[in-house]
Amino acid sequence: MNENSLQDKKVVLGVTGSIAAYKAADLVRRLREKGADVRVVMTKAACEFITPLTLQTLSGHPVAIELLDADQEAAMGHIKLARWADWILIAPATADTIARLASGRADDLLTALCSASESPLAIAPAMNNKMWQNESTQNNIRQLRSQSAQILGPASGDQACGEQGEGRLLEPNDIVSALALLVVPARLQGKHVVITAGPTYEPIDPVRFIGNRSSGKMGFAMAVAAAEAGAGVTLISGPVHLSTPTNVNRVDVETAQQMHDEVIKHIDNCDLFIACAAVADFRPQQLELNKIKKMEKDQLPLILTPTLDIVSAVTGGDKQPFVVGFAAETTSVETYAKDKLKRKKLDMIAANQVGEGRGFAVDENELQVFWAEGSKMFPMAPKNQLARDLMTLIIERYNAKDTT
Ligand code: C5P
């Protein structure tokens, strides 16, 4: 399945000034063999090790090198390239390029492109083993990882300098395999994915509400992953502090009722419904029209009434998209998740443990995914990569269901 994930993907390959730059020629060929459309960006130092003409010939497109060259910028400038890329892969990446990326520099074409791009970034380091172990390099790698860059390798073994150790560029085949595992395959073209995200706010009076700690990050990351798969995406979001992902149609709501109504409005032409939202299970039965004054009462009993279960409304309706639910649990994750899978008639459920800094409002998460015939565990990872991995599994299960 992941074997074909690079098919039709637009990859910017950044090549920097390492002796391993000669392997970039093979890497371009391997990427293209997997169906990727490749544009090469070289640093000036890289041109000392391999000629732009070689990479131009192999990629079939002019190589970009200069940030301040009017002709090159007119062809496909760094902003255009930044938007064009589905993925940016830097291989080989030197210690210096890694340091400049980690500190947010944008003083050459490659770093300017990276800082201008929302596309995911994969970095395959190549350097002397002492440079790799250097504390500054390791700090820079940690920094880039915390910004969600994926680090591929390095490998161990003989080094060009005659030493032995960790720091070799991964072999081109291994880079391509590692990248293919990260990429969501473009297999949802022409499909419509509806996703709910974030919390809902249930008003008590004009200024107060009952809400929860959901940040919306996982739902937004799922929307990005669905768009990466080529789907048309409608993201129905409760109140969150997140910007709208590119190529995603966002609908803002506040209450469970409003979220329900928007989902029903969009469900007719929906192929996959992914319910990430932490919808309130109860709302105040009565909405006070004026702000409740504290001196009027020394107790404030609130009567709550159940909200509509949105995901059950979808699975119980006439139109049956492929439905994925989420379950945030504080205990007995597997038992509760499997129960919800059946009770809510879901095709899949992604469950995680929440509480004490886990699950909600954090950047990393882990998931246990269950469906009728199987399960899969996704270990702790940044939510955007976790969303890509989960979307790849959803596509696999969706296609399996479609063909049975
Ligand atoms: O029952 P629980 O809230 O744990 O179920 C979680 C799943 O159900 C999530 O996918 C959530 O988005 C969905 N849900 C919903 N409407 C509700 C409550 C939960 O769609 N009112």
Side-chain angles (χ1 to χ4, degrees), residues 196 275-277 279-281 307-311 325-327 329 340 344:
T196 63
C276 287
V279 186
D281 293 324
T307 55
L308 291 168
D309 194 301
I310 303 169
V311 85
F326 275 70
E329 306 291 350
K340 269 174 212 170
K344 299 196 178 199

Side-chain angles (χ1 to χ4, degrees), residues 329-330 353-360:
E329 306 291 350
T330 49
Q353 191 149 357
V354 291
E356 287 172 23
R358 298 171 69 153
F360 280 171

Side-chain angles (χ1 to χ4, degrees), residues 8 43 52 59 88-89 217 272 318 327 332 337 360 371 382 386:
D8 299 326
T43 61
S59 68
I88 300 173
L89 167 65
K217 281 179 185 162
L272 291 102
D318 298 339
S332 311
F360 280 171
W371 59 97
L386 195 60

Side-chain angles (χ1 to χ4, degrees), residues 322-329 331-342 345-353 366-378 390 393-394 397:
F322 188 89
V323 179
V324 183
F326 275 70
E329 306 291 350
T331 55
S332 311
V333 176
E334 180 167 347
T335 311
Y336 287 132
K338 284 183 169 166
D339 170 61
K340 269 174 212 170
L341 179 72
K342 273 207 188 121
K345 299 198 197 92
L346 308 172
D347 292 294
M348 270 175 98
I349 191 155
N352 67 322
Q353 191 149 357
E366 60 188 342
L367 288 175
Q368 276 175 277
V369 184
F370 304 96
W371 59 97
E373 306 84 21
S375 69
K376 188 165 178 170
M377 172 82 202
F378 291 104
L390 177 58
L393 178 64
I394 291 173
R397 300 307 318 155

